[in-house]
Amino acid sequence: AQTVTQSQPEMSVQEAETVTLSCTYDTSESDYYLFWYKQPPSRQMILVIRQEAYKQQNATENRFSVNFQKAAKSFSLKISDSQLGDAAMYFCAYAAAASGTYKYIFGTGTRLKVLA
Amino acid sequence: NAGVMQNPRHLVRRRGQEARLRCSPMKGHSHVYWYRQLPEEGLKFMVYLQKENIIDESGMPKERFSAEFPKEGPSILRIQQVVRGDSAAYFCASSRVGNTEAFFGQGTRLTVV
């Protein structure tokens, strides 16, 4: 069975600094997708970034980038120039493509605090 | 184009009552997923539906829980005879055919008293 592990329950970063959130996963599939979602206090799940496993190039979205290490099954999120609005829970998620159903498997989350 | 709409946002039920949670997917989306988030935990998959079909219900508790997505109208997650352990946030997500990206609603927070 596939699993997603986020080993950092909480992280803190100074405003304008860079922080990296860790995520590892376990799967025997070769075709899958990985996601980072942000959940602010409003509870809304907001997609931050996604990565297709067949792509070697790491995905980037403005201040957000990932370090995807397929062999190590690692998918970390780097947030550059952190802003107060980045404070939230961050969830790593996996979805296998082969089954035809794209149900997500989520990690337990990392709470990010941004210090002014 | 409105996002995924869930209602109600907050629902309080006494033990033994029924809870009905509604989800209207985004326009053009025919796939609906339900997830449950217990306090301080990640989202856990419950069920995946297409119009009039349950495709995968491997995450649904065997008793008291049911889901439907009729030809017309919203998807409904029904919890019968609620217990305190059912207190959680329930999220609905929708996607297009063949698309891995799912869009989430704001969730329904169910509190059982």
Side-chain angles (χ1 to χ4, degrees):
Chain A
Q2 296 93 353
T3 58
V4 176
T5 302
Q6 292 180 252
S7 58
Q8 305 156 317
E10 190 170 296
M11 293 282 284
S12 295
V13 62
Q14 206 70 35
E15 196 175 5
E17 296 293 308
T18 295
V19 65
T20 298
L21 308 185
S22 301
C23 173
T24 59
Y25 59 95
D26 189 23
T27 184
S28 57
E29 304 283 344
S30 59
D31 188 14
Y32 53 87
Y33 301 82
L34 296 164
F35 308 83
W36 278 98
Y37 276 88
K38 172 184 177 181
Q39 187 181 44
S42 68
R43 281 206 317 262
Q44 180 70 55
M45 294 290 286
I46 302 166
L47 178 65
V48 174
I49 200 165
R50 59 177 276 168
Q51 174 82 42
E52 290 88 344
Y54 65 84
K55 288 186 178 178
Q56 292 188 334
Q57 187 171 5
N58 289 326
T60 62
E61 286 288 342
N62 300 315
R63 297 183 296 108
F64 299 87
S65 62
V66 298
N67 183 4
F68 174 47
Q69 301 289 327
K70 191 171 184 179
K73 296 179 181 172
S74 170
F75 182 62
S76 60
L77 174 70
K78 186 171 83 171
I79 307 174
S80 304
D81 186 25
S82 297
Q83 301 175 0
L84 294 177
D86 295 333
M89 283 291 291
Y90 285 82
F91 292 98
C92 178
Y94 162 99
S99 66
T101 65
Y102 299 117
K103 64 186 186 186
Y104 289 15
I105 298 170
F106 285 88
T108 51
T110 296
R111 184 178 302 281
L112 179 66
K113 295 185 176 180
V114 181
L115 308 173
Chain B
N1 187 9
V4 178
M5 304 300 293
Q6 288 189 249
N7 65 80
R9 287 222 55 202
H10 302 276
L11 182 62
V12 179
R13 284 288 178 265
R14 295 187 183 278
R15 282 178 293 171
Q17 290 185 320
E18 179 180 281
R20 284 195 182 198
L21 288 64
R22 293 175 180 77
C23 169
S24 296
M26 287 180 68
K27 187 176 181 180
H29 288 194
S30 58
H31 296 200
V32 166
Y33 301 80
W34 285 94
Y35 293 83
R36 178 165 64 176
Q37 184 179 31
L38 295 171
E40 303 303 317
E41 292 188 13
L43 282 70
K44 294 278 172 46
F45 169 79
M46 298 181 75
V47 62
Y48 162 44
L49 310 104
Q50 294 177 14
K51 288 280 188 182
E52 301 184 282
N53 280 307
I54 297 174
I55 306 302
D56 182 344
E57 56 181 349
S58 58
M60 285 277 273
K62 293 287 185 277
E63 298 177 349
R64 302 187 297 107
F65 285 72
S66 63
E68 62 177 15
F69 188 17
K71 187 176 180 181
E72 301 291 336
S75 175
I76 306 287
L77 179 68
R78 183 180 292 111
I79 311 171
Q80 296 178 303
Q81 299 174 346
V82 296
V83 300
R84 288 238 171 93
D86 296 333
S87 295
Y90 292 82
F91 287 88
C92 168
S94 73
S95 68
R96 292 181 182 276
V97 174
N99 194 324
T100 56
E101 183 175 347
F103 293 81
F104 284 83
Q106 287 195 285
T108 294
R109 180 171 295 283
L110 172 65
T111 302
V112 180
V113 297

